[in-house]
Amino acid sequence: MSEAEKRSIDPATQKVLSRISELEATTIWDRYEAQQPKCVFGDQGLCCRLCHMGPCRISKKASVGVCGATADSIAARNLARMVAGGVAAHSDHGRDVAHAMLAMSKGEAADYNIRDPKKLAALAREYGVATEGKTLEQLAQAVGETALSEFGQQEGELRFAHRAPKARQDVWRKLGIMPRGIDREVVELLHRTTMGVDNDYRSIMRQAMRCALADGWGGSMITTDLQDAMLGSPEPIRARANLGVLKADQVNIVIHGHEPLLSDMIVEASHDPELLKLAKENGANGVNISGICCTAVEILMRRGVAAAGNFMQQELAIATGAVEVMVVDVQCLMPSLPSMARCFHTEVITTSPKARLPGVKHIEFSLEHALDCAKEIVRTAIENFPNREPASVQIPDEKMDLVAGFTSEYVHRLLGGRFRPSYRPLNDAIIMGRIRGVAGVVGCTSPDVLHDYGHVTMVKELIKNDVLVVQTGCAATACAKVGLLTPEAAREQAGRGLAEVCEAVGMPPVLHVGACVDNSRILVSCCEILREGGLGEDISDLPVAGAAPEWMSEKAVAIGLYVIASGIYTVFGQPLPVMGSQAVADYLTGGLAEDVGACWAFEADPVKAAHMMIEHMNQKRKALKLQPMMYPPQEEKVAVGA
Ligand code: BF8
Ligand code: SF4
């Protein structure tokens, strides 16, 4: 096995990695190796740096920190702060979208409009705004203002939390974790976890849940819904994924990060006749846009723009030698990008005032001049094309077809038909045992594990066992690259029951529902399934499970926790950094179930993890007294306990 094969199962990634070994550049994998072995204290959650009496490390020699903090409170505080970081990232993105909607409504963001007026009207009604006789701008103003007020709200309950079934809302109220205001929950969690405040790990974890819920049913949900209204709600769309989408004869602009307000404009600018003419004059056959990470997903879902890769592939895109500009906004940007770019002609451009890289060109994005800013970026890329060294261009061939864009609203229509939109066919398929349940397989890629292996292996095992899979973010890109996001995958790889359902409506067995903020769509779909009837009263009754087999980000921890606090059992590939505290580990993997009806599990083997999820679904099916599965498994399955 080559070094590259030990790092990724993706042939395109392997090819570029082999090439990089000849360059004066490191990749995330090299730097990961240089960091081994991991610091045990940090890895187990037993290092505290909260005040300058420390840093403190819990060991046999010292069982408490200088202040007396135990392993339990240190591990819980560290994890809680990861949650706060993740919630802040998703939610600050949402805040900017709300600002953009408001600016647009006042004529201060003239390049934007409302592409989905129906969704805007539905949001206005949900927010209690009378819609009759109102212009789109008036509705956008009301929705933007209400959404913004959710961030600074001090008392009461987040509005979208009321989308959850009544039984779930009761769980949250009883436990005192109903989120009040998005910023408030983040600030309170940070306050509670400073030196000498909350030192009861259960109490810390409850506030962590409240904060996480303010993301899932607040910041992330606002992001998803307002973006849909402004940029258009996704509908199934064909696209391609992997490094092979880069084009040797065109100007390549790779969009990387998370916020689609600018990337949407860059796509627009790439069609500008004047810029296309300039590209020709510079020797290029056009301007080719592709993306990395969640920004890629956002424009893939709405405009069919290709995904060049997931998180672990960002440096590799540059290392093809074919990228004129990598334009970044916020989140998951490796600070190493400029050094990789220096090996080639690639220009990295930062655009957000919140995310700068030293020595890197900065073209600041503003709502007022969005299209002009996008055009400047496209022009910079075109003018950089002649600097490309054709001899150093090595683009791997790999690119795979996919279908993406399955929002909760679209699935409603897809299953029930235009005249009778309904989740009934899905519920019936679950009740009758054609589909065992639904799994959300989401999250990052990481050098901690073999790249893409966890996602692909887990998803194949799940669909083989008649589990419908929904995906977001880098996980979806991993599975897209091997063809799992095509309708054909149903016939070729899914169990018989799932294949029958997919073939009847022409959908893939793995539904791409969007970026990481769009995990909120999965929550909404769960609510819809419950409302349709026959599968219980609460989200925790449903035969559903979540997983993040290759997680690495604080955002993944925030998502994991809000998914669990919403009642969904979730398996992470690598344990959370709390294992140094038996009490916290036990609470997260067991005690939580008493509080919120679901808990975490950790399993590195994706096949075993898939069977833990399957077993969980079987138990929920039993509790609901659903019919036995219609068809026996196609082949012997690995026997794994729950
Ligand atoms: O928010 S899956 S590596 S890109 S954190 Fe980052 Fe993880 Fe990818 Fe999108 Ni989500
Ligand atoms: Fe040490 Fe306590 Fe300060 Fe943490 S808060 S560094 S455990 S003294």
Side-chain angles (χ1 to χ4, degrees), residues 90 258 293-294 311 331-332 443-445 473-475 516 552-553 555-556:
H90 287 144
H258 283 77
C293 284
C294 285
F311 173 74
Q331 303 173 22
C332 298
C444 321
T445 53
C474 291
C516 288
M552 64 87 197
S553 164
K555 293 181 283 174

Side-chain angles (χ1 to χ4, degrees), residues 70-405:
T70 61
D72 300 343
S73 69
I74 291 175
R77 286 193 307 210
N78 288 340
L79 185 73
R81 288 192 155 221
M82 290 184 85
V83 172
V87 173
H90 287 144
S91 300
D92 211 31
H93 172 177
R95 182 198 324 274
D96 282 350
V97 179
H99 268 298
M101 182 174 276
L102 203 52
M104 189 220 68
S105 73
K106 296 178 185 161
E108 294 161 6
D111 299 327
Y112 296 95
N113 51 27
I114 293 294
R115 294 206 189 121
D116 188 345
K118 264 199 197 154
K119 180 119 187 189
L120 180 69
L123 284 171
R125 281 193 296 275
E126 189 173 353
Y127 278 164
V129 177
T131 55
E132 214 151 293
K134 295 243 171 76
T135 64
L136 278 184
E137 286 71 24
Q138 286 168 327
L139 288 183
Q141 180 170 354
V143 168
E145 276 169 0
T146 313
L148 266 186
S149 74
E150 297 277 275
F151 291 86
Q153 185 169 290
Q154 300 302 316
E155 294 297 340
E157 300 179 344
L158 286 185
R159 290 167 173 80
F160 284 162
H162 298 154
R163 289 179 174 181
K166 188 181 167 299
R168 185 58 20 189
Q169 294 183 41
D170 290 345
V171 168
W172 294 337
R173 286 191 196 106
K174 195 165 148 236
L175 205 59
I177 62 169
M178 178 63 105
R180 296 157 291 190
I182 299 164
D183 294 353
R184 173 162 189 191
E185 304 310 350
V186 176
V187 171
E188 183 170 323
L189 190 54
L190 288 174
H191 172 197
R192 285 207 205 192
T193 54
T194 53
M195 189 261 152
V197 187
D198 202 345
N199 276 284
D200 173 343
Y201 71 89
R202 283 174 183 269
S203 162
I204 294 168
M205 287 320 302
R206 280 183 195 153
Q207 176 59 23
M209 281 195 272
R210 197 174 207 177
C211 182
L213 288 169
D215 177 4
W217 301 83
S220 280
M221 209 171 260
I222 287 173
T223 311
T224 296
D225 281 0
L226 269 60
Q227 282 183 176
D228 279 356
M230 277 182 79
L231 303 176
S233 294
E235 293 207 347
I237 189 163
R238 286 194 174 273
R240 288 189 162 163
N242 216 345
L243 293 166
V245 304
L246 296 169
K247 293 188 177 151
D249 62 339
Q250 297 197 12
V251 173
N252 287 303
I253 301 177
V254 178
I255 300 169
H256 174 21
H258 283 77
E259 299 184 347
L261 284 170
L262 171 62
S263 35
D264 190 81
M265 283 296 138
I266 294 179
V267 178
E268 198 77 35
S270 72
H271 303 310
D272 182 275
E274 253 177 57
L275 287 170
L276 288 173
K277 190 165 153 262
L278 185 67
K280 267 249 142 29
E281 285 161 16
N282 278 271
N285 277 336
V287 178
N288 180 42
I289 311 283
S290 61
I292 296 272
C293 284
C294 285
T295 283
V297 170
E298 299 273 10
I299 51 175
L300 181 150
M301 297 267 288
R302 296 193 174 89
R303 289 180 172 255
V305 168
N310 50 25
F311 173 74
M312 293 296 283
Q313 292 175 288
Q314 55 186 282
E315 294 168 297
L316 310 187
I318 296 177
T320 60
V323 175
E324 276 56 55
V325 157
M326 178 173 276
V327 52
V328 304
D329 50 65
V330 291
Q331 303 173 22
C332 298
L333 323 167
M334 288 185 206
S336 64
L337 290 173
S339 14
M340 181 60 84
R342 276 193 287 276
C343 300
F344 300 90
H345 71 303
T346 307
E347 181 114 59
V348 177
I349 300 178
T350 53
T351 57
S352 166
K354 295 173 198 165
R356 302 283 290 251
L357 288 164
V360 157
K361 189 178 178 97
H362 184 75
I363 299 179
E364 192 148 312
F365 168 67
S366 73
L367 288 168
E368 299 90 314
H369 307 291
L371 189 57
D372 286 344
C373 169
K375 283 184 182 171
E376 190 184 342
I377 290 165
V378 174
R379 188 172 298 111
T380 308
I382 293 171
E383 287 167 355
N384 197 17
F385 185 74
N387 298 327
R388 190 197 283 183
E389 283 181 39
S392 74
V393 172
Q394 291 183 21
I395 303 173
D397 295 331
E398 284 79 9
K399 51 173 181 272
M400 181 56 79
D401 291 327
L402 65 104
V403 182

Side-chain angles (χ1 to χ4, degrees), residues 455-575:
H455 295 301
V456 171
T457 312
M458 174 182 280
V459 168
K460 284 186 175 171
E461 193 63 26
L462 288 169
I463 62 173
K464 193 167 85 183
N465 284 279
D466 294 309
V467 175
L468 176 67
V469 173
V470 292
Q471 290 207 281
T472 56
C474 291
T477 307
C479 291
K481 289 187 284 176
V482 297
L484 284 164
L485 273 57
T486 57
E488 297 74 45
R491 190 182 59 245
E492 290 158 11
Q493 311 226 27
R496 194 171 151 193
L498 175 61
E500 281 177 3
V501 175
C502 291
E503 286 178 336
V505 286
M507 71 180 191
V510 183
L511 302 180
H512 194 331
V513 305
C516 288
V517 286
D518 295 326
N519 284 316
S520 60
R521 297 192 200 276
I522 300 176
L523 298 178
V524 171
S525 295
C526 287
C527 301
E528 296 276 354
I529 292 171
L530 282 169
R531 199 165 304 130
E532 191 62 52
L535 288 169
E537 301 300 322
D538 193 354
I539 299 174
S540 55
D541 296 335
L542 293 170
V544 299
E550 303 182 31
W551 79 275
M552 64 87 197
S553 164
E554 289 178 329
K555 293 181 283 174
V557 182
I559 294 168
L561 192 55
Y562 76 61
V563 166
I564 288 166
S566 301
I568 302 174
Y569 170 76
T570 297
V571 188
F572 269 32
Q574 301 292 310

Side-chain angles (χ1 to χ4, degrees), residues 47-58 64-70 74 77 194-196:
C47 167
C48 181
R49 294 182 294 106
L50 286 178
C51 83
H52 202 50
M53 295 189 284
C56 299
R57 301 180 303 186
I58 302 304
V64 290
V66 174
C67 66
T70 61
I74 291 175
R77 286 193 307 210
T194 53
M195 189 261 152

